[in-house]
Amino acid sequence: MTTSTNLPGRQQVPNLSEVPGSILGRDSAVTKVLLRRSAAARRARYSTIKIWVGAICAGVVVVPVALAQLLPLPDPIIGQLSESSLPPLSAGHLFGTDPNGRDLLSRVLHGGQTSLVIGVLAIFVSGLVGIVAGAAAGYFGGWVDTIVSRLLEAQMSLPLLLMLLLVVALFGPSIPVITLVIAFAQWPEPARITRALVLVEREKPYVAAARVLGLHRISIITRHLIPNILQQVLVVVLLLLAQAVLLESALSFLGAGVQRPYPTWGGIISDGRELFVTGKWWLVTIPGVVIALLVVGVNLVGDGLRDRVRRAKGEES
Amino acid sequence: MPQQPALLPTSDQPTREVSRRSILKFASLAGAGALFAPALAACAGPKTANTASTAGAGAAGGTLSIVLNRNLVSLDNKLNQYDAAVTVQRAVREALTKIGDDLKPELVLAESFEQTKPTEWTVKLRSDIHYSDKSPVTVEDVETALKLYFQVKAGYVASQFPEQPSFKKVDDKTFTLTTKTPVVTLNSLMSNILITPAKDNKAEELSGGLGTGPFVIASADSGTGTYKLTRNESYWGEKAKLQEVNVSYQEEEGARVIAITSGQADVIDTITPESAASLKTNADIDVIETPGTRLIHLFYNFRKPASSPLSKPEVREALTYAIDHDSLIKALMNNQVTSAEGVVPKTLAGFAKTGDYSYDPAKAKQMLAAAGASDLKLTFIWEDSEFAGASRVLEAISQMLAAVGVTATLKMIPKGGEINAWRRGEAGDWDVLANGYGNQTGLALTNLQGQYGGTAEKEKTRDTYHGFVVPEITALLDQAGAEADEAKRNDLLKQAQEKIWALWPAMWAWTPNNVLAKRKRVTTLKLRAINSYDLGSVTVSA
């Protein structure tokens, strides 16, 4: 039985089911089950699942890494040779120890701080550079666009890891150098997406209105264009975090990372790889799983957010 | 209440039965599984340890597959003479002498090699020797080879000679080698001069060409370090038992262990203590250990200015007490090394025990404080994979030094030649070098002259061993090198070694055992103290 909605203080809304000829007067063939199983609903559900699973995977890694200084962990650099190569779940060593008797959990968490700090700083720098360069290229066009676009293409044609190794070899491995190198490697991605989005946005009436009102071009970019595209660009930048962590680990693995004895994920895996076949599986497997969890988690969150942003944009239009 | 419309027939309603999407998904998964399963299975790891070696399947006489830990960039040793390479190089090219199992020189291409005067050696070539193409070995070939070893820049072999002997042909098979001062160990030193036809020899490493050895080169790729040797059917001596030897290199220790456990390789050498312990549990593999002649040490930089704390022997001595070598040997070296009891390995002829390294951190602190070096900062350098577990050992040492108030900065130099610039002090400053010093002559004198026989003249071109120039010690070594009487020579060497030890040139030194792993099908492989073996006598079972 259908009823009219008669709320106090509101205009009375007619019950459409009682309007002659209205289809609302009968039950629709599109049932709730069908709606739930529609492609749109499935995508919405998947994006929520992705965000939750991703947040859990990344959180399992990021939270302990962030709290490593507060947790009651042994020193990651100093170990006891008498406790050399203990397997996981040994007394006092949840993840076991390395051949130098250092607690692997402590090394993984402290090493994660290095990797994450480098990753976050790198995406901050690359995001900033990418957004500024991409927005300028998209809005101004002409020679600015030509220069930025050719730079993007030139850099993307270079073999990334080899270029990184070359720069680290030239300037020496340190956190600032590695951060800048990774940031430099990653700026094309946000720059490309920013340029593409700005090209679309600059043709919209609100930008024309701002121009007519006499706003400076820089103000139009910073106060109107970038806030409108930032959400989508940030999703791409977030996805770069996983790539930055992987790049840092790759550099450390190849011996071009932060100098010994400070731990990094790539360095721990590199040290443990020759011992893997001798039965000391935990030296490679545990840091490998941690990297995988973080990368999968961040990618899932980014992917889920991207789906949401797309849907929101679609609904807006 | 409006009339209820007729609902869709039950058959037309969507149900939870298997949909087309599900079928497609399942089919895709099944297809992907069928496609990738064999590849994944192949990547899953080594085959079972019981798998028979594939390397041996082949021609009569059998095939041996050797996987080295470093790239054998040439089949020549002018520049490239690490221990395991010697085995392969000498299978193709031979010298006048060789170092035998008892570390004494034995004749190979020479019929006689005698000291006819204090400064002159007379050598007679065998009459039956010839290259693999049956061309004869001439005295000119020997003369050219000797000359070219000294022409090559930064030659490792030439640096072991106190001076370049002058060559004089006597007849078609006889010649003399004359030196300005007596070199009583010339017959041992000449074991490193490999003979090649004069017309093919160059002042550079040779990856191909002829030799007199029991094997000939069938194919060589110095870039990938892959060589195929086949039996020299016209060998002048006893023919090799093997028909074919395949040599490759794999830097990754884990990959080499997998190669031998899976049967892809028959022999791997210079393996880490951890891998040796693991391989000993494999029923198909034998692990051979012999006492080594290679000394690994944490050598101080003797080019530091006089104002540097490291220029004081008491500071260098104090630092030695900070190293808990017993724990290092037990935890990181699997008891497969011996802490040095002198300045050269005790396996070498002429070794003299001069003392022991001891662990006493309290004494280290006290001595450092007394020398005004309590807050010492040291930079350690080493080349990647210079010795087994180098990074782990140095990280442990940096902890031990931290316990006595010394801050250590660790700098690993990647492979590729840059270490030479560091050693010469051209690439940057450093305090301690972790370095291995091999010995292919079995003589303490070779090590002592190479490391501690520096002169001011040599130091001008940075050709001394990290700036170690003590004229008194150099004079003693020169005297020992010229002394024909073995007892007197050993006495002089003992005096020199005691004087060197008193200067504390190394923070710690040790001699690793030679460790080689072979599959059980490989028989009669005799590993010598110089970490090489005679490939010609190796046999494999079917």
Side-chain angles (χ1 to χ4, degrees), chain B residues 465-520:
Chain B
Y465 196 71
H466 312 118
F468 191 97
V469 181
V470 181
E472 188 190 1
I473 291 170
T474 308
L476 270 173
L477 294 175
D478 286 344
Q479 220 180 322
E483 179 55 62
D485 184 274
E486 192 175 348
K488 285 181 185 169
R489 184 165 71 238
N490 286 344
D491 186 50
L492 287 165
L493 288 177
K494 186 169 185 280
Q495 287 177 46
Q497 288 173 73
E498 281 166 352
K499 285 185 189 299
I500 295 165
W501 181 265
L503 292 172
W504 296 97
M507 190 181 283
W508 182 42
W510 66 97
T511 303
N513 288 346
N514 301 321
V515 187
L516 174 145
K518 67 171 183 68
R519 291 193 67 83
K520 287 222 161 106

Side-chain angles (χ1 to χ4, degrees), chain A residues 105-144:
Chain A
L105 174 62
S106 177
R107 283 181 72 72
V108 166
L109 295 188
H110 284 90
Q113 287 185 335
T114 313
S115 299
L116 280 177
V117 164
I118 289 175
V120 169
L121 284 176
I123 62 163
F124 177 75
V125 176
S126 62
L128 197 67
V129 173
I131 289 171
V132 169
Y139 188 76
F140 295 117
W143 61 268
V144 179

Side-chain angles (χ1 to χ4, degrees), chain A residues 41-161:
Chain A
R42 197 170 52 243
R43 274 198 297 274
R45 248 192 338 271
Y46 281 0
S47 74
T48 309
I49 292 169
K50 277 183 198 171
I51 291 171
W52 271 106
V53 173
I56 291 168
C57 287
V60 164
V61 177
V62 173
V63 173
V65 165
L67 299 175
Q69 314 289 1
L70 305 174
L71 297 171
L73 293 169
D75 192 299
I77 296 170
I78 298 169
Q80 298 294 325
L81 287 175
S82 54
E83 296 183 338
S84 174
S85 299
L86 294 178
L89 305 178
S90 300
H93 302 289
L94 186 64
F95 284 2
T97 60
D98 70 1
N100 287 53
R102 295 172 296 199
D103 184 65
L104 190 59
L105 174 62
S106 177
R107 283 181 72 72
V108 166
L109 295 188
H110 284 90
Q113 287 185 335
T114 313
S115 299
L116 280 177
V117 164
I118 289 175
V120 169
L121 284 176
I123 62 163
F124 177 75
V125 176
S126 62
L128 197 67
V129 173
I131 289 171
V132 169
Y139 188 76
F140 295 117
W143 61 268
V144 179
D145 188 22
T146 306
I147 290 174
V148 172
S149 299
R150 294 302 83 76
L151 276 174
L152 285 177
E153 287 160 10
Q155 192 183 320
M156 291 176 87
S157 66
L158 294 171
L160 185 62
L161 199 56

Side-chain angles (χ1 to χ4, degrees), chain B residues 79-261:
Chain B
L79 286 165
N80 182 26
Q81 177 153 325
Y82 60 91
D83 297 349
V86 172
T87 299
V88 184
Q89 288 165 345
R90 284 169 195 239
V92 177
R93 291 189 168 87
E94 294 174 314
L96 299 175
T97 57
K98 69 175 183 182
I99 303 300
D101 297 337
D102 55 355
L103 292 174
K104 296 259 166 53
E106 294 172 3
L107 298 173
V108 182
L109 297 180
E111 188 178 287
S112 64
F113 200 124
E114 289 164 358
Q115 193 172 17
T116 41
K117 291 178 191 169
T119 58
E120 185 183 277
W121 290 75
T122 302
V123 184
K124 186 174 184 189
L125 296 178
R126 290 174 67 113
S127 55
D128 56 344
I129 52 172
H130 55 77
Y131 294 106
S132 54
D133 65 350
K134 295 193 177 171
S135 58
V137 179
T138 64
V139 291
E140 285 78 13
D141 295 342
V142 181
E143 181 181 15
T144 306
L146 184 61
K147 187 176 72 186
L148 293 177
Y149 271 81
F150 281 86
Q151 276 181 14
V152 70
K153 283 181 183 171
Y156 172 81
V157 173
S159 71
Q160 296 186 344
F161 284 72
E163 61 176 288
Q164 182 176 352
S166 60
F167 188 95
K168 191 179 174 191
K169 183 176 175 179
V170 176
D171 60 40
D172 282 351
K173 289 288 171 192
T174 315
F175 59 90
T176 58
L177 295 169
T178 310
T179 51
K180 289 174 193 145
T181 54
V183 180
V184 292
T185 55
L186 197 60
N187 52 349
S188 293
L189 292 169
M190 286 301 285
S191 67
N192 286 324
I193 305 291
L194 303 182
I195 309 300
T196 299
K199 62 181 172 55
D200 299 327
N201 212 343
K202 294 173 189 165
E204 59 189 51
E205 293 193 304
L206 309 168
S207 59
L210 290 176
T212 59
F215 288 90
V216 292
I217 307 165
S219 65
D221 185 341
S222 59
T224 60
T226 311
Y227 296 84
K228 182 177 173 182
L229 311 180
T230 51
R231 182 162 56 198
N232 178 2
E233 299 297 350
S234 56
Y235 184 52
W236 59 271
E238 190 183 343
K239 286 191 181 59
K241 310 284 189 300
L242 293 166
Q243 178 62 36
E244 186 180 308
V245 178
N246 292 307
V247 183
S248 59
Y249 99 100
Q250 178 55 258
E251 204 172 285
E252 193 69 44
E253 171 96 358
R256 290 195 303 137
V257 171
I258 289 173
I260 195 165
T261 50

Side-chain angles (χ1 to χ4, degrees), chain B residues 51 73 104 128 145 176 200 211-212 233 245 279 301 380 405 452 464 496 530 534:
Chain B
T51 308
V73 291
K104 296 259 166 53
D128 56 344
T176 58
D200 299 327
T212 59
E233 299 297 350
V245 178
L279 288 171
N301 187 353
F380 284 71
Y452 304 106
T464 62
I530 55 172
D534 182 9

